[in-house]
C-alpha cells in the first residue's frame, strides 16, 4: 500500500533560484507578509494568500510559470499539489 501511495503522489518541482520571467506567488497570510515582506530583485512578487489561491489562480495569466512561496514550504507544497491535481501544470515551489 505504501508503494502505491508513493506512486500516486505527484512530485512538485522545488527550486532555489528563479528564471528571469518568474512570478513568485507569496501565499502567506497578510500578517506574515506584513511582518516579513518578500522582495526579490528583478522578480515579480504577487501576494495571493493561500486561502484565495484556489479561487483566484485560474484568473492569472496561464502562459506564465508560477512559483509558490511560504515560510516553511509546507503550505506551498500542499497548494501546488492541489493546483496540479486540478490541471494546472505551471506551478512550482520556491524555497530560497
Amino acid at each position: 500500500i505504501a508503494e502505491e501511495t508513493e506512486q500516486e503522489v505527484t512530485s512538485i518541482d522545488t527550486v532555489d533560484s528563479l528564471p528571469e520571467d518568474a512570478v513568485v506567488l507569496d501565499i502567506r497570510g497578510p500578517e506574515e507578509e506584513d511582518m516579513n515582506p518578500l522582495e526579490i530583485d528583478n522578480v515579480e512578487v504577487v501576494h495571493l494568500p493561500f486561502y484565495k489561491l484556489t479561487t483566484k489562480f485560474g484568473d492569472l495569466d496561464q502562459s506564465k510559470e508560477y512559483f509558490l512561496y511560504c515560510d516553511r514550504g509546507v503550505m506551498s507544497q500542499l497548494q501546488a499539489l492541489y493546483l496540479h491535481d486540478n490541471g494546472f501544470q505551471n506551478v512550482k515551489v520556491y524555497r530560497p
Side-chain angles (χ1 to χ4, degrees), residues 6-21:
E6 284 180 21
Q7 289 174 357
E8 289 176 13
V9 173
T10 305
S11 176
I12 301 297
D13 290 337
T14 300
V15 301
D16 59 5
S17 61
L18 298 165
E20 280 185 28
D21 59 346

Side-chain angles (χ1 to χ4, degrees), residues 15-24 40-45 63-67 92 94:
V15 301
D16 59 5
S17 61
L18 298 165
E20 280 185 28
D21 59 346
V23 178
V24 174
I40 307 169
D41 290 339
N42 303 317
V43 174
E44 181 181 356
V45 177
S63 69
K64 295 184 178 185
E65 192 165 41
Y66 295 96
F67 297 83
K92 294 182 180 178
Y94 174 55

Side-chain angles (χ1 to χ4, degrees), residues 10-59:
T10 305
S11 176
I12 301 297
D13 290 337
T14 300
V15 301
D16 59 5
S17 61
L18 298 165
E20 280 185 28
D21 59 346
V23 178
V24 174
L25 295 180
D26 185 346
I27 65 167
R28 299 174 296 164
E31 311 80 33
E32 290 178 277
E33 186 221 316
D34 288 344
M35 289 174 33
N36 188 16
L38 179 64
E39 295 177 6
I40 307 169
D41 290 339
N42 303 317
V43 174
E44 181 181 356
V45 177
V46 176
H47 304 284
L48 185 59
F50 68 92
Y51 51 85
K52 291 184 178 179
L53 190 61
T54 56
T55 57
K56 300 289 185 183
F57 189 82
D59 296 338

Side-chain angles (χ1 to χ4, degrees), residues 12 25-29 32 48-54 68-83 91-95:
I12 301 297
L25 295 180
D26 185 346
I27 65 167
R28 299 174 296 164
E32 290 178 277
L48 185 59
F50 68 92
Y51 51 85
K52 291 184 178 179
L53 190 61
T54 56
L68 305 187
Y69 171 82
C70 69
D71 285 331
R72 293 194 180 108
V74 176
M75 184 60 71
S76 53
Q77 187 76 23
L78 290 171
Q79 293 296 320
L81 281 168
Y82 178 82
L83 291 169
V91 181
K92 294 182 180 178
V93 173
Y94 174 55
R95 294 289 301 144

